[in-house]
Amino acid sequence: MKVLVPVKRVIDYNVKVRVKADGSGVDLANVKMSMNPFDEIAVEEAIRLKEAGKADEVVAVSIGVKQAQETLRTALAMGADRAILVVAADDVHTDIEPLAVAKILAKVVEEEQPGVVLCGKQAIDNDMNATGQMLSALLGWSQGTFASELDIEGDNAKVTREVDGGLQTISVKMPAIITVDLRLNEPRYASLPNIMKAKKKPLAEKTAADYGVDVTPRLEIVKTEEPAARAAGIVVGSVDELVEKLKEAGAV
Amino acid sequence: MAVLLLAEVTDGALALDATAKAVAAAASLGDVTVLAAGASAAAAGEEAAKIAGVAKVLVAEDASLGHRLAEPTAALIAGLASDFEHIVAPATTDAKNVLPRVAALLDVMVISDVSGVVDGNTFERPIYAGNAIQTVKSNDAKKVVSIRTASFDAAGEGGSASVETISAAANPGLSEWVEDKVAASDRPELTSAGIVVSGGRGVGSEEDFKLIEGLADKLGAAVGASRAAVDSGYAPNDWQVGQTGKVVAPDLYVAIGISGAIQHLAGMKDSKVIVAINKDEEAPIFQVADFGLVADLFEAVPALTEKLG
């Protein structure tokens, strides 16, 4: 079985986000970029499937700017076998919408015929939480979202999902789209020898036009602003003072 | 124009608070038709009909809709979509599972976690864990929108909408429910509670999390947790507050032993009053706290529990 793992290049999760003063967006120039943390979990799960003998090839794919090849090299260094870069934007500030990404991925799936697609449940930049579900709809495949446990057995996969009330387990028909949540696994760090080896692994480069997909955004960004700041608070000296202040504020 | 609003129905019961908040958010978009779907959904539909601002309720009962599996639920909604310009739901994990699938079936973009409705095409939503608010204008003929419930007050009661029964769509048979693991609790539900008491890594163990729960019970509060506390096994996943967990905006939020990573702040910084108790005075949580107490939580929390109430 082949596993396809879409990965996204996003602002590193430790970086303090700066909104541009002219309201045009978030400043991404000269900012540390990394693989979306949820996608790292998806790559790790794919590699574990291969190590467990359930998968024979792991293919990473990224859709975005040319620099996303760095993100794909990270996936290759972790243990993916080969990578596909679909260049769909020139400017690092252009975010390709989940619908367009899902359409391109659907074409990649047609070409590659994976048995499962493992996606991060959301990207930490646009926080849309949509690509996996949309891809699943376009392909007419089953979906197992927000997975904290995954067990693939033959024609079915048992997926334990993190939901508002606790955990839900479902059984999905393969092939399936699985979107992964935080507690599925802990991604490995790539070792230096593996980082060196990754440079020699195959990375094919395509464009959105190669797949005939129009990536024109459906959502026009009117403006991007800083959220309203909270008024400064006070530090209290004791539990008694805290109780007094809370009572004054009518909070208890 | 008309709005189709997916009610939050779990095992036949309506989540009134989440649904009524989504109704309030959608009220300016047009006449609201609520869809109550489930293995049993008639009672939920009757309850939703009483929410002020609801014009009509559709009830779809079918075994395939029983556990809100994405494929049959999305097929049902997509089949109803021709009569509506907006398809809306509260941004619960169920809706986040279903709505993007609906949007792709309709070839439109989904607009997730909306925190403000500007007009019928224009919406505000947080991005980058709430570090920026983006206003987007949709160019799609239909708008598929999930509503961040913490940003809206619930619509009141007093409606008397008509209720109509409809059939489910054909079940594509792609997935099956196996089991739910839901902890029974007498505490208020996290996303609608007036007070939330949350613990973080500083609490140190599942056993010591009882301190957090004790204070919560004294205050009649829901219990929350940071990602670090959940990852460490001190608290179950459904208590997680933050960018990828639940978003809450209670009247009072008490953060105990939580450092305040931006991913956590994303889930609670719209709370009315924030209290932080942490022994590290440099912890970022103090930057959003109205009242900060630099103290050892193992001394401060029992004292606070005793002195309150």
Side-chain angles (χ1 to χ4, degrees):
Chain A
M1 182 179 72
K2 192 191 281 186
V3 185
L4 187 71
V5 189
V7 296
K8 186 175 185 182
R9 177 182 186 265
V10 299
I11 195 165
D12 186 84
Y13 81 103
N14 278 316
V15 170
K16 171 89 182 93
V17 170
R18 217 170 54 82
V19 177
K20 287 196 271 187
D22 64 1
S24 65
V26 163
D27 195 358
L28 296 177
N30 305 314
V31 168
K32 186 184 178 199
M33 304 294 280
S34 299
M35 188 189 297
N36 179 40
F38 289 96
D39 301 349
E40 276 188 333
I41 296 170
V43 172
E44 175 66 34
E45 194 66 15
I47 298 164
R48 289 188 191 186
L49 285 173
K50 191 179 169 189
E51 287 167 351
K54 291 190 171 181
D56 43 38
E57 191 183 26
V58 176
V59 181
V61 55
S62 192
I63 295 158
V65 290
K66 197 152 179 142
Q67 293 89 322
Q69 59 175 269
E70 295 157 19
T71 314
L72 288 168
R73 290 290 172 203
T74 305
L76 294 169
M78 287 173 72
D81 297 295
R82 61 187 172 88
I84 303 166
L85 171 65
V86 183
V87 177
D90 302 324
D91 181 351
V92 293
H93 293 92
T94 306
D95 188 34
I96 307 297
E97 287 176 351
L99 180 62
V101 170
K103 286 181 177 181
I104 293 170
L105 289 175
K107 299 282 185 183
V108 174
V109 166
E110 255 173 50
E111 220 170 69
E112 294 285 338
Q113 300 284 320
V116 66
V117 181
L118 298 179
C119 308
K121 81 162 179 180
Q122 82 189 61
I124 61 162
D125 51 3
N126 65 34
D127 281 334
M128 203 62 100
N129 189 337
T131 301
Q133 298 91 314
M134 291 187 133
L135 176 61
S136 173
L138 296 176
L139 295 168
W141 286 14
S142 62
Q143 70 184 53
T145 53
F146 325 145
S148 63
E149 275 179 62
L150 173 65
D151 188 6
I152 298 174
E153 294 158 7
D155 294 338
N156 291 287
K158 216 161 110 181
V159 186
T160 299
R161 310 176 53 236
E162 295 204 354
V163 295
D164 285 341
L167 296 169
Q168 180 191 50
T169 304
I170 60 172
S171 169
V172 299
K173 261 195 193 147
M174 300 291 279
I177 310 291
I178 307 296
T179 82
V180 306
D181 216 319
L182 293 169
R183 281 164 283 272
L184 182 63
N185 61 47
E186 248 180 76
R188 69 194 67 190
Y189 289 101
S191 66
L192 190 59
N194 285 342
I195 292 170
M196 301 310 288
K197 265 190 245 164
K199 291 183 178 163
K200 296 199 177 102
K201 288 185 178 175
L203 191 157
E205 198 176 311
K206 308 254 190 169
T207 65
D210 291 341
Y211 294 104
V213 173
D214 179 5
V215 298
T216 310
R218 305 293 188 85
L219 303 180
E220 185 190 318
I221 297 167
V222 179
K223 62 181 172 188
T224 306
E225 296 169 302
E226 293 256 8
R230 287 188 74 90
I234 57 163
V235 173
V236 295
S238 67
V239 169
D240 286 328
E241 194 186 343
L242 177 59
V243 171
E244 191 184 311
K245 293 285 180 196
L246 285 174
K247 285 186 174 157
E248 270 172 33
V252 290
Chain B
M1 278 302 290
V3 179
L4 180 67
L5 189 146
L6 179 66
E8 178 74 6
V9 179
T10 307
D11 295 337
L14 180 73
L16 179 62
D17 184 74
T19 305
K21 283 173 173 167
V23 169
S28 65
L29 300 172
D31 283 344
V32 175
T33 297
V34 167
L35 171 64
S40 68
E46 292 294 341
E47 200 182 344
K50 294 182 189 131
I51 299 172
V54 174
K56 188 176 174 183
V57 173
L58 301 176
V59 171
E61 290 190 327
D62 190 85
S64 67
L65 300 168
H67 299 281
R68 289 286 279 283
L69 294 173
E71 302 90 349
T73 310
L76 170 67
I77 297 170
L80 296 169
S82 59
D83 295 336
F84 302 94
E85 187 183 338
H86 293 89
I87 296 169
V88 175
T92 58
T93 47
D94 278 346
K96 287 176 177 176
N97 189 28
V98 170
L99 282 195
R101 192 175 179 100
V102 171
L105 291 175
L106 300 173
D107 192 25
V108 304
M109 249 310 279
V110 70
I111 309 171
S112 305
D113 251 335
V114 161
S115 57
V117 176
V118 179
D119 62 38
N121 299 310
T122 315
F123 303 90
E124 293 169 356
R125 57 182 301 274
I127 56 173
Y128 292 94
N131 282 296
I133 307 294
Q134 195 163 67
T135 305
V136 294
K137 183 166 182 270
S138 171
N139 293 313
D140 284 320
K142 289 186 194 300
K143 270 65 72 174
V144 178
V145 176
S146 68
I147 299 294
R148 173 168 283 216
T149 52
S151 304
F152 296 89
D153 293 325
E157 287 182 38
S160 55
S162 61
V163 179
E164 187 186 315
T165 304
I166 58 167
S167 8
N171 183 2
L174 292 166
S175 54
E176 277 174 35
W177 174 79
V178 178
E179 64 171 342
D180 286 333
K181 280 189 191 150
V182 177
S185 167
D186 296 334
R187 297 195 184 104
E189 200 266 321
L190 186 53
T191 55
S192 57
I195 304 179
V196 173
V197 180
S198 286
R201 195 198 301 275
V203 179
S205 70
E206 187 180 359
E207 198 171 86
D208 285 331
F209 225 82
K210 296 268 183 288
L211 278 177
I212 307 298
E213 298 178 51
L215 176 58
D217 290 341
K218 190 74 177 273
L219 291 168
V223 183
S226 69
R227 178 194 169 182
V230 178
D231 282 358
S232 306
Y234 308 164
N237 69 283
D238 48 300
W239 289 4
Q240 186 176 324
V241 171
Q243 180 184 21
T244 67
K246 293 193 171 101
V247 178
V248 301
D251 295 330
L252 174 62
Y253 188 90
V254 185
I256 299 168
I258 291 178
S259 64
I262 54 169
Q263 290 81 5
H264 184 76
L265 302 186
M268 47 64 78
K269 68 182 170 159
D270 292 331
S271 305
K272 281 204 188 82
V273 175
I274 297 174
V275 171
I277 300 174
N278 201 302
K279 66 180 174 192
D280 174 12
E281 60 184 299
E282 302 292 323
I285 191 77
F286 288 119
Q287 289 163 21
V288 300
D290 298 284
F291 304 116
L293 176 62
V294 181
D296 182 345
L297 71 92
F298 295 101
E299 288 165 18
V301 175
L304 186 60
T305 307
E306 194 194 311
K307 283 171 183 160
L308 284 172

